[in-house]
Amino acid sequence: MINKQYSSVSAAITDIPDGATVMIGGFGASGSPIELIHALIDHGAKDLTVINNNTGNGEVGLAALIGNRQVRKMICSFPRSSQSKVFPELYQAGKIELELVPQGTLAERIRAAGAGIPAFYTPTTVGTVLAEGKESREFDGREYVMEAWLPADFALVKCEIADPLGNLVYNKTARNFNPLMCMAATTTIVQTKRLVAAGDIDPEVVITPGIFVNRVVEVPKPVHEDTLIAAGRSYP
Amino acid sequence: MSTGWTREQMAARAAQDIPNGSYVNLGIGIPELVARFVPEGREFIYHTENGMLGMGPPPAEEERDLDLMNAGKKYVTAVPGAAYFHHADSFSMIRGGHIDVCVLGTMQVAANGDIANWSTGAPGAIPAVGGAMDLVQGVKKIYVITQHTTKTGEAKLVERCSYPLTGPGVVSRIYTDLAVVDVTADGFKVVELAPGISFAEVEQKTGTKILPPE
């Protein structure tokens, strides 16, 4: 029987090369695959392009990956945080690139990549500086901006329950970008709080079908970014 | 000296204009207060763009769920009948015209309904847009809650926005500490004055022509 289970977070991410494009799930702290991110810091791949809604908090997780100078470029919708100086300082020093994408466009570009749709038209950004240089077209008398799909080499994702086939269930608002990123990456790596046997997840409640998932690793007691920050922790 | 409406009173006044049964998205800051002032006999369903319909009030600290946050990254609760979904579905609700009302804060709003609330455009500033540009283009009615002027007394209701736009011609109504103002084909028009506030004061603190209430 198919088994996508990996024994450890380090084994699951060890082939991420320098220069890779990596999607990281989560919205702020919720749904952030922090153990996989810390394994990527230990692994040391550099020159990464990272896709996430934000740029991390404190000095753990995504902020620590950026702070460790492994990220060449961030693609995100909201790179500011009241809890982190890591990205702003590097950005203002010209040491990291930023592609700013409105949140809904970011989600749809990721979804489109997973769905095999190379581009789409959206009303978002029409009449603003973020539409400059982009192709636009009128449909039924209204103007729309063309946006391209956004694929990635790897996706790092967090979920609540997984089975060895890669069927996934999330928890509350920790779902956010995670299911979309599963679809859009060549190799999708998932950390799950609980790994159950095939058949233990009701097929009616599967959110991400296993076809979108390549690797699953169980992390039974994931740490939460906010808890680490409240404890004044940094990584490594 | 007149004081006009408090932040809470501005939020309560905005809530009165939201029809029963509306799906509502609230921006960060004063707009969040709208949820506290749902008029008697009405029910609103709150959408938060990070993936929930049926958002409830913040929990007691000991009842926080680390996986249950709103778009402002604050801990919230889920009301009975709530639903969770991923980001593409969430923004389909927004862009697809399924959300009835969005209440936003702003830096500037113009007489033609343009809104600028995401960036000052200053050199060196870190641009951060979040979901604002999707919301202003997709939600059926865009309401703005804002102080009438900045802390230094500059007009926020202006002829044309000097800051980079979030979206052109999208705002329909503005709730300030001094008045309720509509964006009409003829520009700003006062609908209602806060108690003790004169039209002359509103006119003086508005950066362009504004029409008096009928």
Side-chain angles (χ1 to χ4, degrees), chain A residues 1-234:
Chain A
M1 193 173 192
I2 292 167
N3 186 355
K4 299 178 181 177
Q5 188 182 0
Y6 274 59
S7 56
S8 68
V9 284
S10 56
I13 60 94
T14 194
D15 60 344
I16 298 181
D18 289 357
T21 297
V22 182
M23 290 176 170
I24 299 181
F27 180 87
S30 64
S32 178
I34 207 157
E35 282 76 9
L36 286 172
I37 301 170
H38 288 171
L40 185 55
I41 293 172
D42 297 343
H43 168 56
K46 297 187 301 290
D47 224 14
L48 303 172
T49 295
V50 171
I51 301 163
N52 179 272
N53 187 61
N54 306 95
T55 55
N57 290 305
E59 295 173 19
V60 295
L62 177 55
L65 184 73
I66 294 168
N68 205 36
R69 306 301 310 278
Q70 290 174 252
V71 182
R72 181 179 63 82
K73 179 182 179 183
M74 279 303 309
I75 302 177
C76 68
S77 87
F78 206 85
R80 284 201 304 257
S81 156
S82 57
Q83 289 184 304
S84 188
K85 295 197 185 91
V86 174
F87 178 85
E89 284 177 3
L90 287 171
Y91 180 74
Q92 277 161 342
K95 290 176 176 166
I96 190 165
E97 295 170 44
L98 169 67
E99 181 180 341
L100 188 74
V101 183
Q103 201 174 133
T105 299
L106 182 64
E108 195 61 17
R109 287 179 64 192
I110 296 167
R111 198 197 69 81
I117 309 275
F120 57 90
Y121 287 91
T122 174
T124 305
T125 75
V126 166
T128 77
V129 293
L130 294 189
E132 283 171 12
K134 288 182 177 160
E135 203 177 312
S136 75
R137 194 172 152 179
E138 211 176 278
F139 294 91
D140 295 334
R142 186 174 173 189
E143 191 185 346
Y144 296 83
V145 173
M146 193 178 82
E147 295 282 357
W149 61 7
L150 184 60
D153 302 311
F154 293 87
L156 306 184
V157 162
K158 183 183 183 181
C159 76
E160 187 75 6
I161 307 169
D163 69 20
L165 294 165
N167 294 308
L168 310 181
V169 177
Y170 303 87
N171 188 39
K172 305 187 179 77
T173 58
R175 185 183 307 187
N176 55 65
F177 284 91
N178 282 300
L180 310 172
M181 291 180 172
C182 286
M183 298 167 65
T186 307
T187 303
T188 292
I189 306 166
V190 177
Q191 68 168 77
T192 180
K193 199 167 166 182
R194 276 205 298 143
L195 187 71
V196 300
D200 283 358
I201 303 174
D202 179 352
E204 290 285 7
V205 306
V206 170
I207 303 297
T208 294
I211 192 169
F212 297 126
V213 172
N214 302 93
R215 302 171 190 172
V216 177
V217 57
E218 192 177 27
V219 179
K221 288 184 180 163
V223 292
H224 194 275
E225 202 171 88
D226 283 0
T227 314
L228 292 179
I229 292 166
R233 295 272 301 280
S234 60

Side-chain angles (χ1 to χ4, degrees), chain B residues 39-104:
Chain B
E40 189 74 31
R42 276 186 242 179
E43 186 183 1
F44 305 155
I45 297 176
Y46 297 105
H47 171 266
T48 181
E49 57 264 34
N50 58 314
M52 172 169 46
L53 276 170
M55 177 175 65
E61 196 166 325
E62 64 277 12
E63 282 164 18
R64 276 181 185 173
D65 184 327
L66 294 177
D67 283 341
L68 190 43
M69 301 179 108
N70 68 10
K73 305 193 174 81
K74 294 191 183 107
Y75 294 105
V76 292
T77 51
V79 301
Y84 303 115
F85 35 83
H86 62 58
H87 254 81
D89 279 352
S90 186
F91 280 84
S92 297
M93 294 174 196
I94 292 169
R95 245 189 272 99
H98 305 283
I99 308 287
D100 298 303
V101 176
C102 179
V103 186
L104 291 169

Side-chain angles (χ1 to χ4, degrees), chain B residues 15-16 23 27-28 31 33 39 44 47 62 64 77 80 92 104 123 131 134-135 139-140 164 201-202 207-208:
Chain B
Q16 285 176 29
Y23 288 94
I28 295 164
L33 298 174
F44 305 155
H47 171 266
E62 64 277 12
R64 276 181 185 173
T77 51
S92 297
L104 291 169
D134 306 280
L135 285 162
V139 176
K140 288 179 201 157
E201 181 178 352
V202 173
T208 184

